[in-house]
Amino acid sequence: MAAQEVRKLSNQTAEATKEVQRMIVNTNQSVITSVAHTRETQAATQRIRNASQRVNDLMEEISRAAREQSDGVAQIGLAIAEIDSTTQASASDMESYRRVADTLSGEAAALTNSVNAFRTFRSGELPPVALGHPPPRAAG
């Protein structure tokens, strides 16, 4: 029986050795696959970093453009306020000019009336009409 047990143990050892070799091959294949996955993961991580940097750069550009637009809008607001102020001042000046013109027109009419009062007319002529005033009535 000893030979039979030795053969049995030898067969079991051979089987165990084959199983260990299969496990080593499978583990080696798993390690190779894991290394490939690790490299793919590293490459993907690098792509993510690059994309993230590009997004950060774009966000900075957008932020800078938004600040520039905000500054431009503020300048436009100041310009509009200045235009409004100038327009109001012009309207006030025009009102003052209108009052002065009305006053001058009244004074010119009064002067015309005064001049007409001192003019002599040929018989049958009527005196010229003063600005804005009816002609004087002829003495009857």
Side-chain angles (χ1 to χ4, degrees):
M1 263 225 216
Q4 218 175 15
E5 283 183 29
V6 170
R7 257 189 258 134
K8 187 177 176 185
L9 285 174
S10 175
N11 284 339
Q12 286 178 348
T13 301
E15 293 270 335
T17 301
K18 287 179 186 177
E19 184 62 30
V20 168
Q21 282 180 330
R22 271 194 300 260
M23 289 173 75
I24 289 171
V25 167
N26 287 343
T27 301
N28 191 29
Q29 186 60 42
S30 292
V31 168
I32 291 170
T33 303
S34 294
V35 167
H37 285 279
T38 300
R39 287 184 180 143
E40 289 173 10
T41 301
Q42 286 174 335
T45 302
Q46 187 59 44
R47 287 192 302 271
I48 290 169
R49 277 190 204 125
N50 293 342
S52 177
Q53 185 60 46
R54 284 194 307 266
V55 167
N56 286 342
D57 292 346
L58 289 173
M59 292 300 291
E60 181 59 34
E61 284 182 41
I62 289 169
S63 178
R64 191 174 326 122
R67 282 191 304 270
E68 288 173 5
Q69 286 180 343
S70 178
D71 292 346
V73 168
Q75 289 175 355
I76 289 170
L78 289 173
I80 288 173
E82 189 173 328
I83 289 169
D84 181 54
S85 174
T86 302
T87 301
Q88 289 179 11
S90 293
S92 176
D93 290 345
M94 290 306 292
E95 180 61 25
S96 295
Y97 296 147
R98 186 195 59 79
R99 282 193 301 267
V100 167
D102 287 348
T103 300
L104 288 175
S105 177
E107 289 178 10
L111 286 172
T112 300
N113 285 337
S114 295
V115 168
N116 285 339
F118 290 102
R119 282 196 177 154
T120 58
F121 302 102
R122 287 185 247 157
S123 71
E125 283 186 350
L126 293 175
V129 177
L131 296 174
H133 296 284
R137 292 186 172 209

